[in-house]
Amino acid sequence: MVTFDVVTIFPAMVEAGLAEGVVGRARARGLLDIAVHDLRGFTTDRHHVVDDVAFGGGPGMVMKAEPFYVAVETIRQRRGGPVRVVLTSPAGRRFDQAAAEAMAQDDGVLWLCGRYEGVDERVVDAVGAEEWSVGDYVVSGGELPALVMIDAIARLVPGVVGDERSVENDSFSAGGLDYPHYTRPALWRDRAVPEVLLSGHHAAIEQWRRERAAERTRARRPDLVVGASGRGKGKGEER
Ligand code: SAH
């Protein structure tokens, strides 16, 4: 089973993000092995310094290499097996469902959360880290990106999501977007639920859902349509 480790200067922020909902329940039931580590615990100086000024000048601080290095060494030793190291970074490869599926098959993944201007570049090579981004925007730290990736991977661990069919139907898992969902009441503020969903006719409902999903994918995300300039990402397809 994949293990999760997070190294951060804000462990409480990460713990809070893991405490509730699907991930929180799975963790409480022992389905997920997640450990959050305080980066300052891997420093040796009295003041537990994790940042310093940038060589070459310019605004902002840079996170020092050594505490991250010691953290990775310590955690790898503790886990006693291969652990993939992910440095959260806007300069990384864009994280997606296929990446989540691959990581869910791993023995362990360890996230390094940057802050300030980022992490000393030499860390990447020294610990053999991969860099992953959650999208083309900048947030203030790697904690939220790490939580996003952990949640996406955790959903794919058997038993974490109560009914496995909901994961199979999710957007991207089957290659495209999900179909639209409705709940009671059937008539709400003059808006009716599509008739077919009330019919009890399972084959017709299935077909309607498949069609709506395909229609949405074509309209909103033509890049996901398999065959579209050879870029569609079907489940399990080579990337
Ligand atoms: N100067 C950097 C941004 C630093 S933001 C740049 O322009 O690339 C501080 C930290 O937040 C980063 O080191 C990284 O760990 C995290 N971070 C910010 N945006 C992110 C994103 N889109 N994906 C993953 N991590 C991100």
Side-chain angles (χ1 to χ4, degrees), residues 2 15 21 37 59 67 74 85 96 121 125 141 147 171 174-175 187 193 208 213:
V2 59
E15 288 287 2
H37 312 267
T74 307
V85 179
D96 60 12
E121 189 69 22
D125 175 56
L147 284 167
S171 294
L187 186 66
V193 166
W208 181 88

Side-chain angles (χ1 to χ4, degrees), residues 184-239:
R184 286 179 287 191
L187 186 66
W188 172 75
R189 292 184 183 264
D190 297 333
R191 291 164 172 86
V193 166
E195 200 63 47
V196 61
L197 299 180
L198 311 175
S199 69
H201 188 322
H202 294 297
I205 293 171
E206 264 308 298
Q207 191 191 342
W208 181 88
R209 286 177 166 169
R210 256 198 321 276
E211 284 168 6
R212 295 295 81 69
E215 190 176 87
R216 280 189 155 188
T217 306
R218 274 195 309 274
R220 301 183 191 187
R221 295 296 305 277
D223 57 305
L224 293 177
V225 177
V226 179
S229 59
R231 269 195 28 88
K233 275 178 275 171
K235 198 171 187 167
E237 198 174 309
E238 279 302 315
R239 294 156 41 87

Side-chain angles (χ1 to χ4, degrees), residues 22 67 93 116 145 153 160 164 193 231:
V22 167
R93 196 163 145 200
Y116 318 117
I153 298 162
V160 168
E164 231 131 89
V193 166
R231 269 195 28 88

Side-chain angles (χ1 to χ4, degrees), residues 1-4 22-34 157-160:
M1 186 187 75
V2 59
T3 62
F4 305 77
V22 167
V23 172
R25 265 196 312 278
R27 212 181 167 197
R29 285 162 56 212
L31 289 172
L32 298 174
D33 180 352
I34 312 180
V157 173
V160 168

Side-chain angles (χ1 to χ4, degrees), residues 63 87-93 112-119 132-146 149:
M63 298 193 88
L87 174 65
T88 53
S89 164
R93 196 163 145 200
L112 303 180
C113 303
R115 279 271 155 184
Y116 318 117
E117 293 304 317
V119 179
W132 286 92
S133 165
V134 287
D136 291 348
Y137 46 84
V138 174
V139 292
S140 311
E143 290 76 14
L144 292 171
M149 293 187 235

